[in-house]
Amino acid sequence: MPRADAQTIAASLVAWFADAARPLPWRAADVSPWAVLVSEFMLQQTQVARVVPRWEAWIRRWPTPSALAAEPPSEAVRAWDRLGYPRRALWLHRAAVEIVERHGGEVPADLDALLALQGVGPYTARAVAAFAFGARHPVVDTNTRRVIARAVAGQGEPGPPSTARDLGAMAALLPHDDVEARAFNAAAMELGATVCTARTPQCDDCPIAGACAWRAAGYPPYDGARKATQARFEGSDRQVRGLVMRELRGAHRPVMRAELAALWADAAQLDRAVAGLVADGLAVSDGEGFHLPEA
DNA sequence: GATCCGTGGGC
DNA sequence: TGCCCAAGGAT
């Protein structure tokens, strides 16, 4: 795409975002880099509406990395509640410990230092660098990938992710100015989340409809490689793990294997799920039974 | 690169 | 109603 067209898309999205941005609490001017980092952990594969109340409670209770690091992982897992993928709670706690140990309790601004934190990958590292510190990095999430696929590549869906390719595509659109780049990163995500959605895109409300290659091509159906479909949840190990974790969060004492048996009829699958939780550090087994990790 | 990992919202 | 998908990361 010619640079001029890229600039048109960027400028249009930035202008739109100034009005259309949802007032999400972690976008407030006075939030700390830690608060931004917490939001990004919680938002991994989890919708905004479910995150907001958990984030507010979390920041109130643990306003700094040091505050979280001072408590056992079990408290992080309990506060995570039912956000899903409880490994993220464990990783966020570990990241807080790493921030205390390696960075004096201050969230690092450096991209490589962020990437080195537990649970921080290509997306989260750049999101924190860009949104918390104002650095000019391309930030690519699932929303951004869909917007680029449609507006730039003229395809209905983005196809399988590739970090290098996706970051390159976003970098080619990124405004040179730091402030503009930050807004554009947020704007692309916002458009994908609220207008250029996966299911029923609201093209009539789209600020870049006039520049959209997919629209210009007549909305051709996607015929490229599909991303792998999620495995069925009902009856899966993930379902069993979720049931066990709910039990362990609620029980403030060790839970015996015999008690867990009430959660799932298939004993072999239950054992497999519990073993997986132990291997992941989400559950600990001792002579008394199973419980959340205390250290 | 393919799989696994929770929980629930929206259509 | 069941299915798709969600501000990803680790292995």
Side-chain angles (χ1 to χ4, degrees):
Chain A
M1 152 169 290
R3 184 73 201 174
D5 293 343
Q7 289 176 339
T8 297
I9 288 180
S12 299
L13 279 188
V14 169
W16 167 80
F17 186 68
D19 283 336
R22 293 167 293 176
L24 305 178
W26 44 85
R27 285 177 175 164
D30 60 342
V31 301
S32 66
W34 166 246
V36 173
L37 180 64
V38 171
S39 78
E40 297 299 348
F41 264 85
M42 291 185 169
L43 288 163
Q44 291 169 7
Q45 292 286 281
T46 306
Q47 302 91 328
V48 166
R50 296 177 54 209
V51 166
V52 171
R54 287 295 103 219
W55 179 87
E56 289 176 334
W58 192 285
I59 295 304
R60 202 178 311 126
R61 179 170 176 184
W62 297 306
T64 64
S66 303
L68 178 59
E71 295 212 34
S74 57
E75 285 307 296
V77 173
R78 284 201 176 89
W80 197 258
D81 198 34
R82 296 162 76 170
L83 274 181
Y85 293 145
R87 294 193 288 197
R88 293 182 294 164
L90 218 49
W91 292 342
L92 180 53
H93 181 275
R94 191 171 310 166
V97 172
E98 292 169 349
I99 289 167
V100 169
E101 293 178 344
R102 311 208 281 246
H103 305 289
E106 299 293 332
V107 175
D110 177 70
L111 187 57
D112 288 327
L114 286 164
L115 279 168
L117 297 174
Q118 180 66 44
V120 174
Y123 165 75
T124 302
R126 287 174 178 77
V128 171
F131 301 142
F133 294 106
R136 184 180 179 278
H137 295 292
V139 180
V140 177
D141 77 332
T142 188
N143 294 302
T144 300
R145 281 170 23 77
R146 186 171 52 251
V147 169
I148 290 175
R150 290 175 177 166
V152 178
Q155 301 182 339
E157 297 177 31
S162 158
T163 299
R165 189 172 59 237
D166 297 339
L167 288 175
M170 188 60 175
L173 300 175
L174 204 63
H176 292 300
D177 177 74
D178 286 4
V179 175
E180 291 272 310
R182 180 183 188 279
F184 179 57
N185 277 316
M189 293 170 59
E190 187 79 351
L191 188 77
T194 62
V195 176
C196 191
T197 53
R199 291 293 186 79
T200 52
Q202 311 296 309
C203 299
D204 291 343
D205 300 328
C206 181
I208 57 171
C212 180
W214 189 44
R215 180 183 178 90
Y219 302 117
Y222 181 69
D223 63 350
R226 296 256 166 191
K227 52 184 170 186
T229 59
Q230 273 183 21
R232 180 181 185 81
F233 180 72
E234 283 295 321
S236 68
D237 287 3
R238 296 160 80 176
Q239 182 180 20
V240 184
R241 287 168 57 109
L243 291 170
V244 173
M245 285 305 295
R246 183 189 297 203
E247 187 74 16
L248 296 186
R249 284 196 308 266
H252 292 257
R253 55 169 183 78
V255 179
M256 305 300 293
R257 172 65 179 79
E259 297 178 84
L260 294 176
L263 299 174
W264 198 255
D266 185 335
Q269 188 180 16
L270 179 59
D271 284 331
R272 188 167 68 237
V274 171
L277 292 172
V278 171
D280 290 344
L282 282 166
V284 175
S285 171
D286 60 24
E288 306 294 319
F290 296 97
H291 54 84
L292 298 179
E294 295 299 330

